[in-house]
């Protein structure tokens, strides 16, 4: 142990018992890393499926694995301090199950049930509370990180490991192993009431987003863009009761309901998982398919099947477009007009995202070039690529033009020098020198643009 900050400790006897169990799991993983002499790449093994876009030739499948299967316990939920201490492998659906009966939920619950809190930090996380809070990682106050040399660091935004803390987000596991998280909770009610605002122009859509953003007058805000003349903004609040409730985890498809309904009511968990069968790329697609299989096939099962049968189901030649793009609010109209003229796959998912922090893993020039206090995530899921075109590469170029960025969870074609003009090479190097000097977790470019694409 080489840190001076005292980590958050549980306040209850059960919490302390679970924390003691946690310490022995961490000791096991740390010893494994300390005793390992090989510098060959090492990947994580965890119980639930990965929610990154599966790729046929991803080298992670060939890597030696470090077993993190048992790092999936909630250590303590503290309603008084509105804090939760938990291990990285906890899926959000279990977290909501345990916190909601106490009148709280995690802030920013990503929409696929078994995304884990560790993956939400190391990868990305966004949902309809992001317009106030940013990503799930922005609600975290402390990380325990195991380095490649088996050291255990307590990292907070303001202690001696603050840069490691900041660089953990969006590092895709290249900085170290996240083994324990402390994050804030928000008061919640058993139901959610949604209103669907229909807009017929981009201008009126942006005006409404801006006005809710400034007034913070709703608990939730996201939207479905059916076309550039049919844009729906879904705004909602926690409520104590509901005249009726709907759920979209079998026959009914949520994004379609936004084109037909003006309001809706949900039990809170059903609101969080309204997209679990796919945001705009729903599986099974047909009514009959959902009738027969819909009850058994949520995002986890679909992703697990795709991972297991990737040789059969997937092709790396011209993969479907599944990607989140982030744009400054002031450049969104330009992007949507270019997109309609150039690619035209709808519907799109739209998620406003407050600029709560200028992330240290992105190049300084990205933040210097932007005065916006609001970003917008435009998610393109399940678009076909026209012959002879690489839409991912076109998006990479267009986004740089508009001072935007795409998440790295999918297919990445950046040349290395271009990549490090977007991501903060110096900050990564500073942190890797401490946490992974032999680079056994690969660097961000190698991992997301080479190994993931089978081009190592
Ligand atoms: C179809 C689709 C739709 C999506 N939609 C959304 C969305 O709407 N909102 C959203 O927020 N996200 C979305 N995602 C992205 C997803 O949330 C992120 O990819 C997230 O990182 C996945 O988390 P996971 O728990 O499945 O982790 P994994 O996929 O297993 O891991 C994600 C990354 O984090 C690293 N990692 C995981 N655990 C640890 C750990 N303990 N220590 C260090 N590194 C670790 C892994 O190495 C990997 O690089 C979507 C993804 C897909 C495929």
């Amino acid at each position: 142990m080489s840190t001076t900050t005292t980590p958050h400790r549980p306040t209850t006897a059960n919490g302390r018992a679970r924390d003691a169990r946690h310490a022995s799991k961490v000791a096991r993983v740390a010893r494994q890393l300390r005793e390992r002499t090989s510098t060959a790449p090492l990947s994580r093994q965890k119980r639930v499926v990965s929610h990154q876009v599966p790729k046929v030739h991803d080298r992670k499948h060939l890597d030696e694995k470090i077993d993190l299967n048992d790092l999936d316990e909630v250590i303590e939920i503290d309603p008084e301090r509105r804090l939760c201490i938990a291990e990285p492998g906890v899926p959000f659906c279990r977290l909501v199950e345990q916190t909601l009966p106490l009148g709280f939920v995690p802030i920013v619950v990503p929409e696929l049930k078994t995304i884990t809190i560790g993956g939400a930090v190391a990868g990305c996380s966004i949902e309809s509370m992001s317009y106030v809070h940013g990503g799930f990682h922005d609600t975290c106050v402390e990380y325990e990180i195991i380095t490649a040399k088996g050291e255990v660091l307590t990292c907070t935004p303001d202690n001696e490991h603050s840069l490691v803390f900041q660089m953990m987000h969006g590092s895709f596991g290249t900085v170290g192993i996240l083994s324990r998280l402390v994050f804030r909770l928000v008061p919640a009610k058993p139901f959610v009431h949604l209103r669907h605002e229909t807009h017929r122009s981009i201008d009126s859509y942006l005006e409404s987003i801006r006005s809710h953003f400034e007034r913070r007058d709703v608990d939730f805000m996201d939207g479905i863009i059916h076309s550039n003349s049919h844009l729906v903004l879904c705004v909602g609040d926690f409520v104590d009761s509901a005249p009726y409730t709907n759920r979209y985890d079998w026959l009914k498809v949520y994004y379609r309901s936004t084109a037909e309904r003006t309001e809706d009511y949900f039990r809170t968990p059903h609101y969080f998982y309204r997209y679990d069968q796919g945001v705009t790329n729903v599986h099974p697609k047909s009514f009959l398919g959902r009738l027969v299989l819909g009850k058994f096939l949520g995002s986890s099962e679909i992703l697990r099947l795709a991972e297991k049968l990737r040789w059969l189901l997937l092709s790396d030649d011209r993969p479907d477009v599944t990607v989140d793009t982030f744009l400054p609010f002031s450049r969104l109209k330009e992007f949507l007009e270019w997109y309609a003229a150039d690619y035209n796959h709808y519907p799109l998912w739209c998620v406003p995202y407050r600029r709560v922090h200028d992330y240290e893993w992105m190049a300084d020039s990205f933040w210097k070039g932007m005065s916006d206090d609001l970003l917008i995530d435009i998610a393109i899921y399940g678009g076909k690529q026209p012959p002879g075109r690489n839409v991912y590469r076109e998006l990479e170029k267009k986004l740089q033009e508009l001072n935007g960025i795409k998440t790295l969870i999918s297919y990445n074609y950046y040349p290395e020098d271009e990549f490090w003009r977007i991501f903060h090479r110096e900050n990564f190097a500073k942190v890797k020198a401490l946490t992974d000097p032999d680079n056994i977790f690969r660097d961000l470019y190698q991992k997301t643009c080479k190994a993931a694409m089978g081009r190592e």
Side-chain angles (χ1 to χ4, degrees), residues 125-382:
S125 60
I126 185 166
E127 240 286 31
S128 53
M129 277 193 181
S130 290
Y131 95 95
V132 174
H133 300 283
F136 171 72
H137 57 282
D138 290 308
T139 71
C140 295
V141 295
E142 183 186 293
Y143 301 143
E144 180 190 71
I145 292 172
I146 311 173
T147 72
K149 296 290 181 188
E151 276 188 280
V152 182
L153 310 179
T154 298
C155 309
T156 71
D158 41 40
N159 78 354
E160 69 276 25
H161 297 308
S162 58
L163 186 59
V164 180
F165 177 92
Q166 299 298 355
M167 296 300 286
M168 199 62 214
H169 170 56
S171 66
F172 289 84
T174 59
V175 160
I177 293 178
L178 191 50
S179 50
R180 183 177 183 271
L181 298 80
V182 183
F183 50 94
R184 293 183 288 119
L185 301 172
V186 70
K189 296 179 181 169
F191 300 95
V192 170
H193 176 214
L194 266 196
R195 282 89 62 202
H196 299 318
E197 297 175 9
T198 297
H199 295 266
R200 294 294 168 195
S201 74
I202 297 174
D203 289 336
S204 91
Y205 196 58
L206 296 184
E207 211 178 296
S208 183
I209 291 174
R210 187 84 223 168
S211 135
H212 287 298
F213 171 72
E214 277 166 7
R215 287 181 292 146
R216 281 199 205 189
D217 56 353
V218 288
D219 293 330
F220 307 105
M221 176 165 54
D222 73 332
I224 299 288
I225 299 176
H226 297 275
S227 75
N228 278 1
S229 57
H230 185 188
L231 311 96
V232 178
L233 194 61
C234 315
V235 293
D237 299 292
F238 283 119
V239 287
D240 290 309
S241 63
Y244 62 85
T245 58
N246 252 319
R247 52 192 298 173
Y248 295 87
D249 54 0
W250 187 21
L251 298 171
K252 290 190 274 191
V253 175
Y254 173 73
Y255 82 78
R256 292 200 188 123
S257 75
T258 66
E260 294 142 10
R261 305 179 67 95
T262 55
E263 68 170 349
D264 212 342
Y265 285 86
F266 303 76
R267 290 188 178 285
T268 295
H270 295 150
Y271 169 73
F272 286 143
Y273 301 116
R274 63 201 185 287
Y275 293 123
D276 190 56
Q277 287 185 314
V279 181
T280 53
N281 187 21
V282 171
H283 291 285
K285 284 194 185 323
S286 71
F287 180 84
L288 189 60
R290 285 194 299 282
L291 182 66
V292 179
L293 297 169
K295 270 263 174 232
F296 318 104
L297 277 184
S299 58
S300 311
E301 292 74 28
I302 299 267
L303 280 164
R304 196 173 287 288
L305 268 178
E307 193 77 43
K308 290 232 174 314
L309 305 173
R310 60 186 184 280
W311 297 98
L312 276 179
L313 297 178
L314 304 174
S315 145
D316 280 356
D317 298 342
R318 227 193 359 264
D320 288 354
V321 179
T322 294
V323 73
D324 288 72
T325 65
F326 283 81
L327 289 132
F329 180 75
S330 60
R331 308 301 294 273
L332 183 62
K333 184 172 181 186
E334 237 173 306
F335 177 78
L336 290 175
E337 288 173 345
W338 166 82
Y339 179 86
D342 205 75
Y343 187 49
N344 210 23
H345 165 80
Y346 292 91
L348 301 171
W349 187 34
C350 170
V351 190
Y353 187 101
R354 182 178 296 273
R355 180 182 178 176
V356 290
H357 184 81
D358 290 359
Y359 302 133
E360 283 77 356
W361 47 275
M362 293 179 67
D364 300 337
S365 56
F366 179 89
W367 299 115
K368 288 211 182 82
M370 185 198 304
S371 57
D372 295 72
D373 53 3
L374 176 63
L375 295 156
I376 304 283
D377 173 16
I378 295 291
I380 307 162
Y381 293 154

Side-chain angles (χ1 to χ4, degrees), residues 44 46 49-53 68 88 110-112 114-120 122-126 168 172-173 176-179 279 303 322 324 349 381 409 447:
R44 260 158 296 284
K46 67 178 182 39
V49 69
S50 163
H51 290 78
Q52 291 192 75
V53 176
L68 304 182
E111 90 297 348
L112 304 181
T114 56
I115 290 174
T116 63
I117 56 174
C124 64
S125 60
I126 185 166
M168 199 62 214
F172 289 84
I177 293 178
L178 191 50
S179 50
V279 181
L303 280 164
T322 294
D324 288 72
W349 187 34
Y381 293 154
I409 62 164
K447 177 147 188 188

